[in-house]
Amino acid sequence: MTKKGDMLYAWTNDAEIQKKAELGGAVTSLWKYALESKAVDAVLVVTRGVDLYDAKPVLITDPKDLASTAGSLHCGTLLIPKLIKKYLDGARDMKIGVTVKGCDAMAFYELAKRKQINLDNIIMIGVNCGGSVSPVLARKMIADKFAVDPEKVHKEEIDKGQFIIEYEGGHKGISIDELEEAGYGRRTNCRRCKMKVPRQADLACGNWGVIGPRAGKATFVEVCSEKGANLMDGAIKKGILATEPANPKGLDIRGKVEGAMFKLGDKWRKKDFEGLGEGRDRLKKIMAETSRCIKCYQCIDQCPICYCVDCTTRNPAYVPPGELPVNFMFHLIRYAHIADSCVNCGQCEEVCPAEIPNTLFMHAQQVELEKMFGHVPGVNMELPLMAYVEEKTERERLHNTGSDMIYENVFNPFTKH
Ligand code: FAD
Ligand code: SF4
Ligand code: SF4
Ligand code: SF4
Ligand code: SF4
């Protein structure tokens, strides 16, 4: 019997899945079992689109279609939970299985807190995540640093700290550190990310810690919930999944790699946040950079924290329409509403046509708020700070005092001190 807390090596017995899978195919075979046993109505996973830089989401209902979705796409920077909110009614009446990276898992929790997703109907299989590479930058990096035509590349992988490509006529690997020093490599939010093993999913799967004869042929599975344990048990009984206890040395190595990734995340946070300056300097920098904004609303559309039907940024009383540069209030509204809950998923930066480092600005604020109030977004159902603002009490206070200064005695950058 599998139980919560188990640490296992797992691989599939399905030959078709095995062929396409990243590391033994445990994830895809678990989904196959989930569909066949009707544990879920559909599975939402990511698969290769027109080329390997094009990761596209697919909703699968026929288990026969699953094998083609196996494999990891490191240029797959998309975020899945908001698609479920937008197009699948937040899983209100449908049981859905989803493969998630850490940022997807965090976004699920934030949407669930806002009652936009029914987590009871979601099964999450998490994949450990060292980071993903923006598709546009990946093409440029392959041309410039690897001196290979990006169109000729048919496979990419990240292994032992290297980004490796296979192309017509050969293969090449360059260390991620070297690529990042040169301004390529993982997205900047991924470098700062510390959600490496997504334990808020039902299962957390990855290659870290798989050693010995199973290395490269099995996935390390940490069982994170009863739901996950039941899924594993069903697939094992059905004969589609095989497991063995993880090698204790492998478990140790996995812990050490995770620790090293945390340190790397801290290093990038320090570098990126210090680069922003402090206080007024930081504010000035943010105002200068955001002055390029053309108010296309894409950052709001993609953000998993933004879900409001009437967005305040569209209210002409706050943000005058038809003005360029866009009034800074547009960005202040976003900071005020999101900063306590930002999960550093990178979407608002990835989609910005003005190439504004929106994620960096929001993430820097989120980390400050976390230091002040201890609230960590995306890890559980604990409500965000903003949820504790009592609107009724606040209206009364406004009515009685006439003052809109909520935080008295707090440094206000807009007044002279
Ligand atoms: P498969 O059966 O091959 O199934 C893979 C599943 O991942 C499929 O459901 C597929 O749709 C989904 N998928 C593929 N690309 C994406 C994507 N971009 N976003 C969301 N879902 C996707 N493991 C580590 O231990 N260390 C790492 O540093 C690490 N980095 C990773 C980075 C990325 C971007 C991804 C996607 C995975 C990473 N993994 C990492 C996990 C590892 O590569 C395998 O996914 C995992 O071991 C499961 O292997 P499998 O053979 O069982 O999966
Ligand atoms: Fe992976 Fe974190 Fe980047 Fe998401 S933000 S793709 S979990 S490294
Ligand atoms: Fe402005 Fe960029 Fe957001 Fe568009 S995506 S509204 S340009 S910040
Ligand atoms: Fe993701 Fe940006 Fe929203 Fe933060 S503000 S959750 S990085 S889209
Ligand atoms: Fe809602 Fe604020 Fe996001 Fe607009 S910016 S959608 S009001 S959270």
Side-chain angles (χ1 to χ4, degrees), residues 33 43 47 170 196 241 250 262:
Y33 166 73
V43 167
T47 193
K196 300 288 116 187
L241 189 74
F262 287 163

Side-chain angles (χ1 to χ4, degrees), residues 2 51 59 74 93 128 135 159 192 203 337 353 382 386 409:
T2 313
D51 56 32
L59 189 72
H74 296 96
D93 304 310
N128 298 353
D159 192 25
R192 297 189 303 270
L203 299 168
H337 293 184
E382 193 182 289
M386 285 287 277
N409 304 322

Side-chain angles (χ1 to χ4, degrees), residues 101-104 129-132 187 189-190 193 195-196 344-345:
K101 304 179 294 306
C103 48
D104 291 307
C129 187
S132 56
R187 294 183 295 162
N189 65 304
C190 293
C193 173
M195 187 48 71
K196 300 288 116 187
N344 183 38
C345 68

Side-chain angles (χ1 to χ4, degrees), residues 9 207-216 218 220 244 246-254:
Y9 289 164
N207 59 319
W208 291 331
V210 187
I211 56 167
R214 299 270 174 231
F220 192 120
E244 66 183 29
N247 183 322
K249 261 194 207 152
L251 184 58
D252 191 40
I253 291 171
R254 180 175 177 262

Side-chain angles (χ1 to χ4, degrees), residues 83-300:
L83 299 176
I84 295 183
K85 180 216 151 9
K86 270 191 188 169
Y87 304 112
L88 297 168
D89 199 21
R92 209 163 302 277
D93 304 310
M94 186 182 191
K95 285 197 188 312
I96 306 172
V98 196
T99 310
V100 294
K101 304 179 294 306
C103 48
D104 291 307
M106 292 172 91
F108 262 126
Y109 276 81
E110 289 306 315
L111 279 162
K113 285 177 201 175
R114 290 161 178 79
K115 304 198 188 325
Q116 302 302 303
I117 290 267
N118 178 7
L119 269 194
D120 291 341
N121 276 344
I122 299 284
I123 300 183
M124 286 185 234
I125 300 186
V127 287
N128 298 353
C129 187
S132 56
V133 183
S134 163
V136 175
L137 204 65
R139 283 175 171 274
K140 201 167 171 327
M141 172 176 84
I142 288 167
D144 293 354
K145 292 289 291 178
F146 290 76
V148 170
D149 178 356
E151 296 297 329
K152 303 239 161 81
V153 178
H154 52 81
K155 192 173 174 351
E156 52 73 25
E157 60 175 322
I158 295 182
D159 192 25
K160 297 189 182 70
Q162 287 204 323
F163 187 82
I164 301 165
I165 53 168
E166 278 180 24
Y167 51 96
E168 287 167 33
H171 66 97
K172 222 182 227 185
I174 302 184
S175 100
I176 303 258
D177 288 345
E178 184 188 330
L179 293 169
E180 288 176 0
E181 282 307 317
Y184 297 104
R186 298 166 303 157
R187 294 183 295 162
T188 50
N189 65 304
C190 293
R191 298 176 198 175
R192 297 189 303 270
C193 173
K194 288 169 73 178
M195 187 48 71
K196 300 288 116 187
V197 178
R199 296 185 174 88
Q200 52 302 50
D202 296 296
L203 299 168
C205 306
N207 59 319
W208 291 331
V210 187
I211 56 167
R214 299 270 174 231
K217 298 185 194 112
T219 276
F220 192 120
V221 183
E222 178 171 346
V223 182
C224 305
S225 74
E226 294 307 323
K227 245 195 229 181
N230 291 340
L231 191 65
M232 292 284 288
D233 269 344
I236 294 166
K237 265 192 212 119
K238 198 81 189 156
I240 189 172
L241 189 74
T243 61
E244 66 183 29
N247 183 322
K249 261 194 207 152
L251 184 58
D252 191 40
I253 291 171
R254 180 175 177 262
K256 284 191 177 133
V257 178
E258 192 184 7
M261 292 303 291
F262 287 163
K263 278 200 187 137
L264 195 59
D266 282 332
K267 187 194 98 175
W268 280 108
R269 283 179 186 209
K270 189 166 184 296
K271 187 168 187 276
D272 288 359
F273 297 160
E274 278 181 6
L276 275 178
E278 280 186 10
R280 267 171 217 268
D281 289 340
R282 182 175 286 196
L283 181 64
K284 275 194 206 145
K285 191 163 223 155
I286 294 177
M287 287 178 89
E289 289 266 0
T290 53
S291 68
R292 295 198 302 277
C293 173
I294 55 165
K295 211 168 65 174
C296 68
Y297 297 105
Q298 270 307 300
C299 47
I300 294 173

